[in-house]
Amino acid sequence: MVEDDERLDRAFLALADPVRRQIVARLSRGPATVNELAEPHAISLQAVSKHIHVLEQAGLVTRTRDAQRRPVHLAPEALERLTAWIDRYRLIHESRFRSLDALLAQDHPQQEDPS
């Protein structure tokens, strides 16, 4: 449980940076090299590499070797862990709203349209 919490902390912390979120968004369309990931940003390749390293440490991306290239890949299972964590609390919140809606419907039944 503590390890899961630490992994979530690293992932959310990594995604707190807008450049890293843009890198994740780009990788959702497919693997890319550091050069390709750096193109839309006005920062150095070294800075982009550091952002990728943070994403790797958070488990959000991986790198493979393809001849001279080292493409970066999105790790979808890590994103699924994040959405599962968010969904758990979203479902609790929605359940509370449904209960409130049911209670309000009992106290104030809808009137039929006179037309």
Side-chain angles (χ1 to χ4, degrees), residues 1 4 12-13 17-18 23 26 38 42 59 64 66 71 77 79-80 88 98 107 110 115:
M1 188 69 166
D4 287 343
F12 281 119
L13 187 62
D17 186 281
I23 289 172
R26 166 56 188 87
T64 57
D66 180 19
E77 65 278 358
L79 294 178
E80 289 172 13
R88 181 173 38 176
R98 281 194 295 277
D107 287 346
Q110 291 187 352
S115 55

Side-chain angles (χ1 to χ4, degrees), residues 25-90:
R26 166 56 188 87
L27 292 173
S28 70
R29 297 192 312 266
T33 64
V34 173
N35 286 337
E36 292 166 337
L37 292 171
E39 279 179 15
H41 304 287
I43 57 177
S44 68
L45 287 177
Q46 187 178 16
V48 171
S49 290
K50 286 182 180 179
H51 284 298
I52 291 169
H53 180 72
V54 171
L55 292 169
E56 278 183 299
Q57 294 299 310
L60 295 170
V61 301
T62 59
R63 287 185 187 190
T64 57
R65 183 167 294 281
D66 180 19
Q68 300 293 325
R69 302 177 65 222
R70 291 201 65 207
V72 181
H73 304 262
L74 193 59
E77 65 278 358
L79 294 178
E80 289 172 13
R81 279 193 301 273
L82 296 176
T83 56
W85 185 85
I86 291 170
D87 277 350
R88 181 173 38 176
Y89 296 104
R90 183 184 56 79

Side-chain angles (χ1 to χ4, degrees), residues 2 6-7 18 21-22 35-36 39-40 59-61 70 78 91 94 102 106 110 114:
V2 172
E6 289 174 1
R7 200 171 7 183
R21 286 194 307 273
Q22 290 172 6
N35 286 337
E36 292 166 337
E39 279 179 15
L60 295 170
V61 301
R70 291 201 65 207
L91 292 173
E94 285 178 3
Q106 287 175 354
Q110 291 187 352

